[in-house]
Amino acid sequence: MHAPVLKPEWRLSANAKKVFGLVDCNKFYASCESHPLWRPDLIGKPVVVLSNNDGCVIAMSMEAKRLGYKMGDPYHKLETKLRSDGVQVFSSNYTLYDDLSGRVMMTLAEMVPELEVYSIDEMFADLTGVPGLQGFGEEMRNRVWEWVGIRVGVGISATKTLAKLSNWAAKNWKGLGGVAVVLDDKRHELLLRRAPVDEVWGVGRRYADRLKAMGVETALHLACCDDHKIMDEFGVVLRRTVLELRGVPCAELELQTPPKQQIVSSRAFGARQKGWKSIEQSIASYTARAAEKLRAQGSVCRRVDVGLIVRKATDDSFQDTWSTSSAKLIQHTDDTLVLQGAAVELAKRIFDNNAVYAKSSIALSEICQPSDLSQDMFAQKPTQSELSNVLDTINSKFGRGTLRSGVLVGDMAWAMKRNHLSPSYTTKLSDLPRLK
């Protein structure tokens, strides 16, 4: 491909009308585990966080990365090496991560006029009209560190795609101090020229491989691609990415997350399970979690699907055998007990006492808002449980699982394996750090 050159009409000076910021927590899961309030001894030390059931590495500190560890490395193959390298290993503590994420977002919400929570460790902000953006970015970074104890990077530019790419520069380029403001033509072209194409938001591995085969190696190459060729080869989504790289905003902030049309709760068991008790408990537990999410978005549902999975090892992988069952409820509901009763009955239909199960799943669908249902006088009205709302309030205040249905009392041999779980420092009184 010829050396790419930005046409005058593709420069920020010709297009920039708005300003977006992207704030991203640095090594978030590892940072939560090595937080200066409860584990100051781990600051500057190698840390890795494992996936569900302690399966593989899903997060790590920079120190662990320098030792050569990679995302997706299986834990059982690394256990001895991790120990010899002095790496601190943690199971995923989603309660801790969710709480610290909320604290980061609340801190930033006090500083910006509008924000979009993009993921557990990222948020976009509308910074149009905010003066002194370099200083403002540094202030955001400092305040999150001082108030929450989490380091963040800040990228600021004319579109969400450029803001995300600027954030990549803020974290990877020396001398920027964790804040990159890209709002002039010179910095715009420098950023595009230095950024690999696979660092562009929306360009996954499959797209990146195809683009590189076409000679598109950098973000600048992509920004200078022929519009018709991009449309023909990749479609409208990548075409919008190209426009955003040129400074033309194609994506606004999503201030409200649209309600999910399906809610799935599923997880592999910590160990293979045989017998009805474990299946009943897992289905009841996953249904309770799904119902909680349903109520959180103010919705009701009418369909319940249940799946039980037997996993058998083959020569080079695993083979899953699924048994599924579904039912449509008489009326829409968000009541945990009603949904649990339906899900458990469905599981009974497909349960095999001789099978050894590896996983179960629950899905809620035909979801809508109560106000969207037909006002037909003969139609069943949705049931919205006040008791379930009280349960949510108590569990939110005192920790998930404080109140639960009777079936979830007792030993839970099926529960996810988390042999390296850290305390819930911020959500359980019994886990509060103590000064000595």
Side-chain angles (χ1 to χ4, degrees):
M1 186 173 184
H2 297 296
V5 177
L6 284 173
K7 296 179 181 179
E9 62 269 26
W10 295 348
R11 297 181 178 274
L12 288 192
S13 55
N15 293 303
K17 301 292 190 298
K18 300 194 69 172
V19 179
F20 294 90
L22 187 279
V23 182
D24 183 16
C25 301
N26 298 347
K27 309 293 182 185
F28 182 57
Y29 286 7
S31 296
C32 293
E33 298 292 358
S34 57
H35 195 281
L37 278 183
W38 42 82
R39 291 303 303 268
D41 58 306
L42 293 181
I43 295 175
K45 302 292 179 61
V47 171
V48 299
V49 180
L50 305 177
S51 64
N52 294 344
N53 289 310
D54 294 344
C56 63
V57 174
I58 59 168
M60 68 185 78
S61 65
M62 186 57 71
E63 292 77 14
K65 186 175 182 179
R66 292 194 188 106
L67 290 174
Y69 294 101
K70 297 179 181 179
M71 303 288 279
D73 282 347
Y75 174 59
H76 71 276
K77 293 183 178 181
L78 297 176
E79 191 170 359
T80 301
K81 185 176 188 304
L82 287 164
R83 193 180 301 113
S84 65
D85 284 344
V87 179
Q88 184 70 47
V89 177
F90 291 97
S91 303
S92 294
N93 188 340
Y94 300 116
T95 302
L96 177 65
Y97 309 153
D98 285 344
D99 185 69
L100 286 179
S101 172
R103 293 169 189 252
V104 171
M105 302 308 170
M106 285 190 291
T107 299
L108 294 169
E110 294 187 7
M111 302 184 67
V112 299
E114 292 182 332
L115 62 84
E116 171 196 337
V117 177
Y118 178 65
S119 69
I120 193 171
D121 62 347
E122 292 178 280
M123 60 148 281
F124 285 103
D126 186 349
L127 303 181
T128 306
V130 175
L133 287 167
Q134 179 69 36
F136 187 75
E138 292 170 359
E139 184 182 352
M140 286 196 291
R141 192 167 185 270
N142 292 336
R143 185 176 297 188
V144 172
W145 171 245
E146 291 173 3
W147 290 17
V148 189
I150 296 293
R151 297 288 189 189
V152 300
V154 181
I156 299 172
S157 195
T159 68
K160 291 172 76 173
T161 301
L162 283 174
K164 198 160 175 60
L165 203 59
S166 300
N167 187 281
W168 167 80
K171 290 186 173 184
N172 290 278
W173 293 1
K174 294 181 179 179
L176 292 181
V179 178
V181 180
V182 179
L183 287 170
D184 61 71
D185 290 345
K186 184 177 179 180
R187 290 187 179 187
H188 179 214
E189 184 165 351
L190 180 64
L191 175 66
L192 296 182
R193 190 177 299 280
R194 289 189 178 181
V197 71
D198 44 14
E199 291 293 343
V200 176
W201 186 34
V203 177
R205 181 179 298 175
R206 191 160 53 91
Y207 273 14
D209 289 344
R210 289 174 59 190
L211 287 166
K212 289 176 182 178
M214 297 164 53
V216 180
E217 298 283 346
T218 68
L220 184 60
H221 283 115
L222 182 58
C224 295
C225 276
D226 179 76
D227 294 341
H228 296 293
K229 187 171 185 179
I230 290 294
M231 279 292 293
D232 292 342
E233 294 285 339
F234 299 94
V236 68
V237 175
L238 194 62
R239 163 72 171 132
R240 289 173 181 161
T241 299
V242 170
L243 289 174
E244 289 235 331
L245 289 175
R246 297 172 184 171
V248 180
C250 297
E252 297 295 329
L253 293 188
E254 294 184 10
L255 303 181
Q256 289 187 330
T257 304
K260 294 181 179 179
Q261 298 304 302
Q262 184 183 53
I263 297 175
V264 178
S265 186
S266 177
R267 198 164 285 166
F269 299 146
R272 301 291 190 268
Q273 297 297 313
K274 186 175 182 179
W276 169 245
K277 184 62 176 178
S278 294
I279 299 302
E280 181 185 31
Q281 284 185 333
S282 68
I283 290 295
S285 176
Y286 298 159
T287 305
R289 180 64 181 132
E292 183 181 320
K293 293 180 180 179
L294 185 71
R295 289 189 294 275
Q297 65 180 35
S299 301
V300 289
C301 76
R302 195 175 182 187
R303 178 179 169 126
V304 181
D305 289 81
V306 166
L308 302 179
I309 298 92
V310 174
R311 175 168 292 177
K312 296 180 179 179
T314 63
D315 290 339
D316 54 359
S317 63
F318 292 97
Q319 181 178 356
D320 289 347
T321 303
W322 285 72
S323 299
T324 60
S325 184
S326 62
K328 181 176 284 191
L329 306 175
I330 296 175
Q331 58 195 139
H332 286 77
T333 186
D334 68 359
D335 190 316
T336 293
L337 296 180
V338 172
L339 294 170
Q340 281 180 330
V344 169
E345 285 301 315
L346 290 172
K348 284 181 180 178
R349 296 181 191 175
I350 55 176
F351 173 72
D352 181 352
N353 199 48
N354 295 316
V356 179
Y357 291 101
K359 185 178 181 181
S360 66
S361 68
I362 168 74
L364 306 181
S365 57
E366 294 192 22
I367 293 173
C368 66
Q369 303 301 104
S371 58
D372 294 336
L373 293 172
S374 170
Q375 297 304 309
D376 185 338
M377 63 184 299
F378 298 107
Q380 292 280 354
K381 294 182 179 180
T383 61
Q384 293 179 276
S385 172
E386 293 184 7
L387 177 62
S388 293
N389 288 327
V390 171
L391 182 146
D392 292 344
T393 302
I394 293 174
N395 285 338
S396 175
K397 185 174 182 179
F398 296 102
R400 184 173 297 157
T402 301
L403 282 183
R404 55 190 185 272
S405 59
V407 71
L408 294 174
V409 175
D411 180 48
M412 298 188 189
W414 53 274
M416 184 170 62
K417 182 171 67 176
R418 294 193 288 183
N419 293 333
H420 306 278
L421 184 65
S422 58
S424 296
Y425 296 105
T426 62
T427 55
K428 286 186 179 180
L429 289 174
S430 59
D431 288 352
L432 281 176
R434 288 176 170 81
L435 293 175
K436 296 182 179 179

